[in-house]
Each structure stands twice: as structure tokens, then as C-alpha cells.
Amino acid sequence: MEALTTRSSMAIKIAFSTNAFKRYSLQDSIKEIAKIGYRGVEILCDTPHAYPAADFGEDGKVQSLKDAISSCGVQISNLNAFTLYAVGDVYHPSWIENDKQSRQTRIQHTIDCIRLARKIGARNLSTEPGGPMPASSSSSSANTRQLEKVFLDGLKKAAEVAETEGVMVLVEPEPGLLIENSSQFKRLIKNVNSDYIGLNFDIGHFYCVNEDPAKLVYELADYIEHFHLADIENRVHNHLIPGRGEIDFRPVFAAMDDIGYDGFVTVELYPYQDCPVQAAKEAYHYLCSIMEEWAS
């Protein structure tokens, strides 16, 4: 199937994340994603795929990954540096842990991912938006601001390396975490003095917090470097195959076209570990069908 195109003939490049393929090897994940027709692949920088601290200490492994990408004829859309199951869980250790060493683990992991990105030719990586509020923290405005400062301090350390390596670090707002909506993100980014910190725009996440993703594309255009895509039902944060929820992606794609976005949109369907190939196929064909309908 041909690449998705918009009315202005701008290619909408669709990728798929390997975090749905945790029961497959990284190389097999890439092969399956490419066979379906996706133009890009997002690589999970965590166990069991590409946790830098354990899986990519040797140059030979880096070259093997580059060869797999090249032989499958796809590009790297993004490195997913959000989860840390290798030493914790989906959120921990986060950027805002009470324990300084735990925060340092998150910072170092991000730095390791930045260096891996440069080695394999990835332009950007995504990370969590601070993390969950620590259990001992109050929900007061003053405490939130203090945690944002802690997050900023960590981001700035990662940004120094990102600037040297030429890799973007993208914050991904998520419901229930420190930064979950557009106003919080805009407040944060205004205090980041680096051109190498940007936004991973997760369409479903913004929808979950009662925002209009299509409108936000225009509002946040200056910061967007990559998109995540999944469907949502009843604004509950549960990633569904596109077409099974209630998000209308047509106006979102139209907004991308209007702002001249020419990067990747990565489909992220990690809940489908039992059937990742089927989920990826269904998502691909649905997105192709709505784009063909919209472009006609």
C-alpha cells in the first residue's frame, strides 16, 4: 500500500512502536512492522529491546540494529525512552523521585538513550513528563511548582548532552503525571533554555484530559517534533486500535498539513502484546482508509 498523503501531497509518514512487540526480538519486531507497510519504526529503549545500559554496550550490536533498519527499508521515527522496566516499572524511576539517586538513574538513562540515538541515526527520543507525584508530596500549587523545578533541573542536564549529540529530547504529557495538559507543558517549556527540548504530541493523551488535539496542533506547533497516535474511548487512558474508539483523526491530520509537519506519526499500541501483528495491520489499514477518504 502506498504511503499516506494529504491534500497538499505532503507525505504523512506512519510508524509503529516496538513496545507492542515485547514478546518478539527487536529485529523480528522491525521486520514485522516493515512487512505491513509502515515507513518507520519507533524503538523501545527498555527491556527486552534496546535498553542502552545492557543491550548496546558493544559497537557490533549497534551496527546490527542499523543493518536491520536498513535491510527492512524503514526509518527510525523515535526512540521511546519513557518506561524503565529494566530497573523499575512504567514510570519509575522518574524525573521527580524523592530520592536523588533514583532521579539520577532517570537522567543517566535519558543520556544513554541520547547517545544511542546519535549512533543509530535517530533524530529524537521521547520521555515521561516528570512522572507521578511522589506519594509523600502534597497536591498544593507550591509543591507542584517545586516538582516542576526538579524536573527542569534534570531536563537541563540531559539537554546539555542532547545539544552536543544533536538529538531532540521530547517531553510527552500524560494524564495523571506531573505535566498532563497543554497549559502545563507551555509553562514548562518557557523555562527550558534549550532548542533541544521539544514536544512528543500524543493525540490520545491530550484527548483524555478534555483537550481538542486538532486545535492544539496549531497552539503547540513551535514545539512539536513527533506524534504518538492511538484511539481512546470515553476519555479513559487506554490505548485502542485506531477506529475502535471515538477520536476523529481527520482534523488532526488536516492541522498537521496546515502547519507543514513532515515528520512521523507513530502508532503506539502496547496493550496488544498478545496480537501485535494483527493490531498493527488493523491500525495501518484504518489510517490508510481515512486518509484516502479525507484526501479525495
Side-chain angles (χ1 to χ4, degrees):
M1 190 171 290
E2 294 182 357
L4 306 184
T5 58
T6 69
R7 289 168 298 179
S8 62
S9 299
M10 180 192 77
I12 297 288
K13 298 185 292 187
I14 305 296
F16 196 87
S17 180
T18 70
N19 66 2
F21 283 83
K22 293 173 76 172
R23 297 179 184 174
Y24 289 65
S25 70
L26 178 55
Q27 284 76 9
D28 285 345
S29 302
I30 295 168
K31 290 176 183 177
E32 293 294 337
I33 291 167
K35 281 195 297 185
I36 293 167
Y38 287 95
R39 296 176 63 185
V41 59
E42 176 185 84
I43 296 172
L44 175 64
C45 286
D46 195 1
T47 185
H49 286 168
Y51 178 53
D55 299 330
F56 285 90
E58 303 172 9
D59 289 341
K61 292 183 178 180
V62 170
Q63 188 59 50
S64 178
L65 175 55
K66 292 174 69 175
D67 290 344
I69 293 289
S70 177
S71 65
C72 289
V74 293
Q75 296 175 280
I76 300 172
S77 64
N78 184 51
L79 297 191
N80 190 323
F82 195 114
T83 68
L84 250 178
Y85 282 101
V87 294
D89 57 32
V90 63
Y91 299 123
H92 303 285
S94 77
W95 296 90
I96 57 171
E97 304 283 2
N98 288 325
D99 177 64
K100 182 178 180 180
Q101 185 54 50
S102 294
R103 298 198 301 270
Q104 183 56 41
T105 298
R106 168 60 67 172
I107 294 167
Q108 187 58 53
H109 172 63
T110 307
I111 290 171
D112 290 344
C113 291
I114 291 168
R115 289 174 173 151
L116 176 61
R118 181 190 59 78
K119 289 178 181 178
I120 63 177
R123 295 180 58 252
N124 43 264
L125 62 88
S126 54
T127 187
E128 63 175 21
M133 302 287 276
S136 61
S137 298
S138 70
S139 58
S140 68
S141 175
N143 185 64
T144 299
R145 294 294 191 276
Q146 177 58 34
L147 290 174
E148 287 179 359
K149 183 181 182 303
V150 172
F151 182 28
L152 275 169
D153 289 344
L155 272 180
K156 288 174 181 177
K157 293 177 182 177
E160 291 175 2
V161 181
E163 290 166 8
T164 299
E165 303 290 359
V167 174
M168 295 291 299
V169 175
L170 310 181
V171 175
E172 180 181 332
E174 177 170 319
L177 303 188
L178 179 66
I179 307 297
E180 63 176 358
N181 60 44
S182 61
S183 61
Q184 291 168 334
F185 174 79
K186 285 187 281 190
R187 184 173 67 234
L188 176 84
I189 200 70
K190 287 178 181 177
N191 292 308
V192 176
N193 187 26
S194 174
D195 293 335
Y196 284 85
I197 303 295
L199 173 65
N200 185 50
F201 189 117
D202 191 299
I203 297 167
H205 289 180
F206 282 125
Y207 183 80
C208 284
V209 295
N210 296 305
E211 298 198 80
D212 182 338
K215 290 182 179 178
L216 287 187
V217 170
Y218 297 105
E219 291 182 26
L220 301 173
D222 289 344
Y223 312 112
I224 298 169
E225 296 290 337
H226 179 252
F227 285 86
H228 268 170
L229 184 152
D231 216 339
I232 296 292
E233 187 173 27
N234 298 322
R235 298 193 188 270
V236 175
H237 183 208
N238 180 30
H239 289 218
L240 300 175
I241 296 171
R244 295 193 182 188
E246 57 201 20
I247 297 178
D248 184 356
F249 295 103
R250 297 168 184 83
V252 185
F253 287 135
M256 291 181 199
D257 187 22
D258 286 345
I259 68 168
Y261 180 74
D262 60 358
F264 275 99
V265 178
T266 296
V267 181
E268 191 188 27
L269 296 177
Y270 54 82
Y272 295 88
Q273 302 293 327
D274 291 339
C275 55
V277 174
Q278 295 91 324
K281 285 181 178 179
E282 183 178 333
Y284 184 78
H285 292 299
Y286 176 78
L287 292 172
C288 284
S289 69
I290 68 167
M291 287 302 299
E292 289 169 355
E293 169 195 331
W294 173 68
S296 63

